[in-house]
Amino acid sequence: MKALMFGWEFPPHILGGLGTASYGLTKGMSQQEDLETIFVIPKPWGDEDQSFMKIIGANNTPVVWKNVSNDTVKSRLEKFMNPEEYYKLRDNIYADFSYMHTNDLGCIEFSGRYPNNILEETNNYSIVAGVIARTYDFDVIHAHDWLTYPAGLHAKSVTGKPMVIHVHATEFDRSRGKPNPIVYGIEKDGMDNCDHIICVSNLTRKTVIENYHQPYWKVTTVHNAVDPLSPEIDAIKRISGVPEKVVTFLGRITMQKGPEFFVDAATQVIRKTDHIRFVMAGSGDMMDQMIRLVADRGIAHKFHFTGFLRGKQVYEMLKSSDVYVMPSVSEPFGISPLEAMQCGVPSIISYQSGCSEILHNVIKTDYWDVDAMADAIYSICTYPAMAEHLKIEGKKEVDNIKWEDAGLKVRAIYDMLV
């Protein structure tokens, strides 16, 4: 079985949970010896882990024929692919795209991020997908999130192969129920025309069935998991010299993640005690608003903003925390609480998150119930027995949630379609 996957980001260059989930799932699926994966992303950087699958860069795939010497191709692309692959891809250019802006290799440039012209990049990605789909042999197409649905549909149209879309989030989650009609249209087109839909939680499955009008039999839940900690990460120690308890929010500071509810809960706790300190780690379009809100609440002396953290920095922050809080308004899954629990950090999550369906050794509150959230934070930081129970039992629980098991569920869907 060979799968052609379309994604948008991949570690170590990630901007959110999508890249982490893509890595975990593909690595878990690689445990099946008869399953091969080709993973396409807009722009690889050359330092991605390809030990368990093959990565193809859309920005290294020609869509316009150029007479380029082997030495030039080798000097430019050897870090990313065998130069012979460039010529193999060039032989499968299927239309005249000379009107498009391309570089001297005939390739479209991609940002590798989420730029302002994201719809243009999504369309360009789908054009490149046609060349890739004609070049490689595969049995099933797998597209992650709305940015890649047009690419997956194009690959399906030129090959006739079955297509699975993987819904990591919907526009209803990102917009608090006020979807951008263009994005909603792309999502619905993908769902209507694919052969099966994978959702990361029953919460997301319900949204797909009710808001995108999909038949229940076409939609399957496959919960996310978490990678075991590497020895390097496991060896990270708590940052010393902070006498207070540390309570952490770690994620994108956006409307979907409920950062204002974290600030409200922090305000209540700080007014009650002075032995707890709060950290908001991450970046996003609400960061300036949250900084002003913290100042207005008069809690800036006990509140810190770290900015965006990546890789090892994430685990340094988690291992220096006494409580992790995810107050998301609408979280399709939420891998970060699993990562916190791996590090032995007691966690508080909202009922409105997909991971609440599979996690039991956590405290759950409604995202809007800041009184309950504040009480939970105070209790964990004040009562050692409670914190120790959540630490030990939480780690036991999350260590049994494995990507390999998620990979077997995805494989069963592939087998059904193929």
Side-chain angles (χ1 to χ4, degrees), residues 322-324 337-338 340-349 359-364 375-381 383-398:
D322 297 282
V323 183
Y324 175 78
L338 280 70
M341 292 163 73
Q342 272 187 319
C343 296
V345 183
S347 297
I348 301 167
I349 63 176
L359 295 177
H360 305 290
N361 290 286
V362 294
I363 304 295
K364 302 175 189 178
D375 285 346
I377 292 168
Y378 180 82
S379 297
I380 295 170
C381 290
Y383 303 113
M386 181 181 184
E388 190 68 11
H389 175 81
L390 290 170
K391 174 181 177 178
I392 293 171
E393 297 303 318
K395 180 159 176 54
K396 281 183 192 173
E397 180 177 41
V398 81

Side-chain angles (χ1 to χ4, degrees), residues 310-385:
R310 68 176 74 248
K312 189 178 177 182
Q313 294 174 320
V314 170
Y315 288 96
E316 288 173 341
M317 187 68 250
L318 290 175
K319 291 215 172 190
S320 300
S321 303
D322 297 282
V323 183
Y324 175 78
V325 183
M326 187 181 76
S328 295
V329 174
S330 180
E331 186 71 53
F333 186 78
I335 290 177
S336 55
L338 280 70
E339 295 172 331
M341 292 163 73
Q342 272 187 319
C343 296
V345 183
S347 297
I348 301 167
I349 63 176
S350 68
Y351 283 115
Q352 292 75 22
S353 61
C355 64
S356 71
E357 298 166 10
I358 62 170
L359 295 177
H360 305 290
N361 290 286
V362 294
I363 304 295
K364 302 175 189 178
T365 72
D366 289 304
Y367 71 86
W368 44 261
D369 193 347
V370 293
D371 293 337
M373 200 184 301
D375 285 346
I377 292 168
Y378 180 82
S379 297
I380 295 170
C381 290
T382 306
Y383 303 113

Side-chain angles (χ1 to χ4, degrees), residues 204-217 219:
T204 305
R205 182 176 185 268
K206 185 172 184 284
T207 300
V208 166
I209 292 169
E210 294 181 356
N211 295 83
Y212 294 84
H213 315 295
Q214 299 302 309
Y216 71 91
W217 50 263
V219 194

Side-chain angles (χ1 to χ4, degrees), residues 263 267 271 288-300:
V263 174
T267 304
R271 285 173 181 167
D288 289 348
Q289 184 182 335
M290 290 304 102
I291 292 171
R292 288 194 297 271
L293 183 60
V294 165
D296 290 343
R297 293 278 194 274
I299 61 171

